[in-house]
mmCIF file of all heavy atoms in Angstrom:
data_model
loop_
_atom_site.group_PDB
_atom_site.id
_atom_site.type_symbol
_atom_site.label_atom_id
_atom_site.label_comp_id
_atom_site.label_asym_id
_atom_site.label_seq_id
_atom_site.Cartn_x
_atom_site.Cartn_y
_atom_site.Cartn_z
ATOM 1 N N SER A 142 19.344 163.501 77.912
ATOM 2 C CA SER A 142 20.447 164.282 77.959
ATOM 3 C C SER A 142 20.226 165.341 79.104
ATOM 4 O O SER A 142 19.286 166.091 79.130
ATOM 5 C CB SER A 142 20.815 164.980 76.599
ATOM 6 O OG SER A 142 22.054 165.536 76.604
ATOM 7 N N SER A 230 24.682 167.596 70.592
ATOM 8 C CA SER A 230 25.779 167.445 71.536
ATOM 9 C C SER A 230 26.733 166.276 71.097
ATOM 10 O O SER A 230 26.351 165.463 70.166
ATOM 11 C CB SER A 230 25.183 167.075 72.840
ATOM 12 O OG SER A 230 24.536 165.733 72.879
ATOM 13 N N GLY A 231 27.875 166.207 71.617
ATOM 14 C CA GLY A 231 28.871 165.169 71.360
ATOM 15 C C GLY A 231 28.089 163.831 71.593
ATOM 16 O O GLY A 231 28.345 162.800 70.931
ATOM 17 N N LYS A 232 27.394 163.793 72.802
ATOM 18 C CA LYS A 232 26.702 162.579 73.184
ATOM 19 C C LYS A 232 25.701 162.061 72.151
ATOM 20 O O LYS A 232 25.608 160.924 71.841
ATOM 21 C CB LYS A 232 25.966 162.784 74.515
ATOM 22 C CG LYS A 232 25.356 161.607 75.071
ATOM 23 C CD LYS A 232 24.649 162.092 76.368
ATOM 24 C CE LYS A 232 23.845 160.855 76.835
ATOM 25 N NZ LYS A 232 23.001 161.135 78.071
ATOM 26 N N CYS A 263 32.019 170.245 69.880
ATOM 27 C CA CYS A 263 31.852 168.839 70.276
ATOM 28 C C CYS A 263 31.063 167.848 69.298
ATOM 29 O O CYS A 263 31.517 166.759 69.097
ATOM 30 C CB CYS A 263 31.116 168.804 71.499
ATOM 31 S SG CYS A 263 32.057 169.310 72.985
ATOM 32 N N SER A 267 33.036 164.614 68.052
ATOM 33 C CA SER A 267 32.378 163.297 68.241
ATOM 34 C C SER A 267 32.145 162.554 66.956
ATOM 35 O O SER A 267 32.268 161.314 66.873
ATOM 36 C CB SER A 267 30.953 163.610 68.933
ATOM 37 O OG SER A 267 30.331 162.366 69.388
ATOM 38 N N LEU A 269 34.101 162.666 64.450
ATOM 39 C CA LEU A 269 35.394 162.163 63.937
ATOM 40 C C LEU A 269 35.863 160.996 64.656
ATOM 41 O O LEU A 269 36.659 160.077 63.996
ATOM 42 C CB LEU A 269 36.346 163.481 63.984
ATOM 43 C CG LEU A 269 36.167 164.516 63.077
ATOM 44 C CD1 LEU A 269 37.158 165.615 63.486
ATOM 45 C CD2 LEU A 269 36.539 164.055 61.618
ATOM 46 N N GLY A 271 36.682 157.605 65.629
ATOM 47 C CA GLY A 271 36.226 156.371 64.921
ATOM 48 C C GLY A 271 35.937 156.347 63.495
ATOM 49 O O GLY A 271 35.626 155.396 62.879
ATOM 50 N N ALA A 272 36.043 157.573 62.979
ATOM 51 C CA ALA A 272 35.596 157.736 61.455
ATOM 52 C C ALA A 272 36.951 157.318 60.644
ATOM 53 O O ALA A 272 38.039 157.334 61.135
ATOM 54 C CB ALA A 272 35.268 159.150 61.202
ATOM 55 N N ARG A 297 43.372 166.732 61.410
ATOM 56 C CA ARG A 297 44.660 166.252 61.476
ATOM 57 C C ARG A 297 45.090 165.622 62.850
ATOM 58 O O ARG A 297 45.823 164.654 62.833
ATOM 59 C CB ARG A 297 45.780 167.456 61.238
ATOM 60 C CG ARG A 297 45.995 167.714 59.715
ATOM 61 C CD ARG A 297 46.773 166.473 59.074
ATOM 62 N NE ARG A 297 48.008 166.401 59.603
ATOM 63 C CZ ARG A 297 48.707 165.247 60.085
ATOM 64 N NH1 ARG A 297 48.040 164.121 59.996
ATOM 65 N NH2 ARG A 297 49.966 165.249 60.490
ATOM 66 N N PHE A 299 43.251 163.686 64.333
ATOM 67 C CA PHE A 299 42.844 162.392 64.412
ATOM 68 C C PHE A 299 43.431 161.536 63.419
ATOM 69 O O PHE A 299 43.225 160.314 63.336
ATOM 70 C CB PHE A 299 41.234 162.490 63.978
ATOM 71 C CG PHE A 299 40.474 162.840 65.164
ATOM 72 C CD1 PHE A 299 39.937 164.065 65.382
ATOM 73 C CD2 PHE A 299 39.971 161.805 66.111
ATOM 74 C CE1 PHE A 299 39.230 164.488 66.512
ATOM 75 C CE2 PHE A 299 39.093 162.164 67.065
ATOM 76 C CZ PHE A 299 38.745 163.471 67.319
ATOM 77 N N ASP A 300 44.385 162.072 62.501
ATOM 78 C CA ASP A 300 44.942 161.225 61.558
ATOM 79 C C ASP A 300 44.035 160.486 60.559
ATOM 80 O O ASP A 300 44.196 159.314 60.408
ATOM 81 C CB ASP A 300 45.930 160.211 62.313
ATOM 82 C CG ASP A 300 46.983 159.706 61.391
ATOM 83 O OD1 ASP A 300 47.588 160.561 60.757
ATOM 84 O OD2 ASP A 300 47.257 158.475 61.312
ATOM 85 N N ILE A 301 42.995 161.077 60.130
ATOM 86 C CA ILE A 301 41.971 160.487 59.140
ATOM 87 C C ILE A 301 42.298 161.098 57.679
ATOM 88 O O ILE A 301 42.413 162.326 57.623
ATOM 89 C CB ILE A 301 40.552 160.816 59.628
ATOM 90 C CG1 ILE A 301 40.374 160.457 61.019
ATOM 91 C CG2 ILE A 301 39.562 160.338 58.687
ATOM 92 C CD1 ILE A 301 38.994 160.858 61.579
ATOM 93 N N ARG B 219 37.015 155.133 70.170
ATOM 94 C CA ARG B 219 36.861 156.546 70.621
ATOM 95 C C ARG B 219 37.787 156.713 71.845
ATOM 96 O O ARG B 219 38.028 155.808 72.615
ATOM 97 C CB ARG B 219 35.427 156.797 70.975
ATOM 98 C CG ARG B 219 34.488 156.370 69.850
ATOM 99 C CD ARG B 219 33.103 156.767 70.323
ATOM 100 N NE ARG B 219 33.029 158.247 70.488
ATOM 101 C CZ ARG B 219 32.348 159.055 69.624
ATOM 102 N NH1 ARG B 219 31.669 158.470 68.656
ATOM 103 N NH2 ARG B 219 32.320 160.307 69.807
ATOM 104 N N ARG B 222 34.812 159.178 74.533
ATOM 105 C CA ARG B 222 33.716 158.490 74.966
ATOM 106 C C ARG B 222 34.039 157.037 75.096
ATOM 107 O O ARG B 222 33.176 156.163 74.932
ATOM 108 C CB ARG B 222 32.479 158.819 74.204
ATOM 109 C CG ARG B 222 31.869 160.132 74.340
ATOM 110 C CD ARG B 222 30.747 160.510 73.497
ATOM 111 N NE ARG B 222 30.667 161.956 73.491
ATOM 112 C CZ ARG B 222 29.941 162.675 74.410
ATOM 113 N NH1 ARG B 222 29.347 162.070 75.420
ATOM 114 N NH2 ARG B 222 29.909 163.937 74.312
ATOM 115 N N GLU B 246 28.663 159.736 79.214
ATOM 116 C CA GLU B 246 27.317 160.376 79.111
ATOM 117 C C GLU B 246 27.169 161.871 79.106
ATOM 118 O O GLU B 246 26.182 162.367 79.155
ATOM 119 C CB GLU B 246 26.512 159.779 80.378
ATOM 120 C CG GLU B 246 26.175 158.258 80.289
ATOM 121 C CD GLU B 246 25.186 158.020 79.254
ATOM 122 O OE1 GLU B 246 24.201 158.470 79.191
ATOM 123 O OE2 GLU B 246 25.645 157.116 78.283
ATOM 124 N N VAL B 247 28.329 162.562 79.268
ATOM 125 C CA VAL B 247 28.216 164.096 79.256
ATOM 126 C C VAL B 247 27.841 164.429 77.878
ATOM 127 O O VAL B 247 28.251 163.904 76.797
ATOM 128 C CB VAL B 247 29.576 164.677 79.681
ATOM 129 C CG1 VAL B 247 29.910 164.280 81.116
ATOM 130 C CG2 VAL B 247 30.657 164.603 78.743
ATOM 131 N N GLU B 248 27.316 165.701 77.918
ATOM 132 C CA GLU B 248 26.771 166.169 76.561
ATOM 133 C C GLU B 248 27.802 166.741 75.710
ATOM 134 O O GLU B 248 28.047 166.343 74.543
ATOM 135 C CB GLU B 248 25.780 167.360 76.755
ATOM 136 C CG GLU B 248 24.347 166.904 77.016
ATOM 137 C CD GLU B 248 23.475 168.055 76.935
ATOM 138 O OE1 GLU B 248 23.134 168.570 75.758
ATOM 139 O OE2 GLU B 248 23.104 168.616 78.001
ATOM 140 N N HIS B 249 28.704 167.442 76.407
ATOM 141 C CA HIS B 249 29.905 168.131 75.664
ATOM 142 C C HIS B 249 31.164 167.952 76.607
ATOM 143 O O HIS B 249 31.068 167.750 77.738
ATOM 144 C CB HIS B 249 29.589 169.624 75.647
ATOM 145 C CG HIS B 249 28.419 169.951 74.745
ATOM 146 N ND1 HIS B 249 28.636 169.933 73.403
ATOM 147 C CD2 HIS B 249 27.192 170.349 75.098
ATOM 148 C CE1 HIS B 249 27.345 170.334 72.919
ATOM 149 N NE2 HIS B 249 26.496 170.528 73.962
ATOM 150 N N GLY B 250 32.243 168.040 75.886
ATOM 151 C CA GLY B 250 33.585 168.081 76.644
ATOM 152 C C GLY B 250 34.068 166.614 77.106
ATOM 153 O O GLY B 250 34.760 166.584 78.027
ATOM 154 N N ASN B 271 41.586 156.161 66.768
ATOM 155 C CA ASN B 271 42.192 157.158 66.020
ATOM 156 C C ASN B 271 42.575 158.408 66.709
ATOM 157 O O ASN B 271 42.916 159.408 66.159
ATOM 158 C CB ASN B 271 41.313 157.460 64.679
ATOM 159 C CG ASN B 271 39.910 158.062 64.982
ATOM 160 O OD1 ASN B 271 39.588 158.187 66.080
ATOM 161 N ND2 ASN B 271 39.250 158.345 63.911
ATOM 162 N N GLY B 272 42.790 158.274 68.071
ATOM 163 C CA GLY B 272 43.370 159.293 68.839
ATOM 164 C C GLY B 272 42.519 160.302 69.314
ATOM 165 O O GLY B 272 41.477 160.603 68.775
ATOM 166 N N PRO B 273 42.957 161.029 70.372
ATOM 167 C CA PRO B 273 42.096 162.100 70.923
ATOM 168 C C PRO B 273 41.905 163.298 69.925
ATOM 169 O O PRO B 273 42.919 163.444 69.139
ATOM 170 C CB PRO B 273 42.810 162.650 72.201
ATOM 171 C CG PRO B 273 44.193 162.193 71.934
ATOM 172 C CD PRO B 273 44.124 160.888 71.104
ATOM 173 N N GLY B 274 41.001 164.161 70.034
ATOM 174 C CA GLY B 274 40.829 165.319 69.378
ATOM 175 C C GLY B 274 41.743 166.373 69.886
ATOM 176 O O GLY B 274 42.449 166.247 70.791
ATOM 177 N N ILE B 290 48.111 154.985 67.948
ATOM 178 C CA ILE B 290 46.838 154.816 67.278
ATOM 179 C C ILE B 290 46.746 153.547 66.219
ATOM 180 O O ILE B 290 47.777 153.126 65.928
ATOM 181 C CB ILE B 290 46.335 156.085 66.638
ATOM 182 C CG1 ILE B 290 47.289 156.576 65.621
ATOM 183 C CG2 ILE B 290 46.159 157.180 67.735
ATOM 184 C CD1 ILE B 290 46.931 157.730 64.810
ATOM 185 N N GLU B 310 50.895 152.736 65.032
ATOM 186 C CA GLU B 310 51.324 154.026 64.601
ATOM 187 C C GLU B 310 51.345 155.022 65.754
ATOM 188 O O GLU B 310 50.479 155.071 66.575
ATOM 189 C CB GLU B 310 50.276 154.577 63.607
ATOM 190 C CG GLU B 310 50.827 155.746 62.706
ATOM 191 C CD GLU B 310 49.677 156.307 61.802
ATOM 192 O OE1 GLU B 310 48.943 155.429 61.390
ATOM 193 O OE2 GLU B 310 49.541 157.456 61.677
ATOM 194 N N ASP B 313 51.213 161.694 65.770
ATOM 195 C CA ASP B 313 52.056 162.871 65.894
ATOM 196 C C ASP B 313 51.220 164.124 66.380
ATOM 197 O O ASP B 313 51.745 165.262 66.402
ATOM 198 C CB ASP B 313 52.632 163.173 64.463
ATOM 199 C CG ASP B 313 51.623 163.489 63.448
ATOM 200 O OD1 ASP B 313 50.319 163.513 63.859
ATOM 201 O OD2 ASP B 313 51.945 163.597 62.287
#
Side-chain angles (χ1 to χ4, degrees):
Chain A
S142 185
S230 64
K232 182 181 173 184
C263 289
S267 188
L269 288 169
R297 273 293 291 130
F299 282 94
D300 201 45
I301 302 174
Chain B
R219 305 184 67 109
R222 290 177 198 276
E246 291 293 303
V247 304
E248 275 190 81
H249 297 283
N271 62 0
I290 57 175
E310 196 185 324
D313 62 7

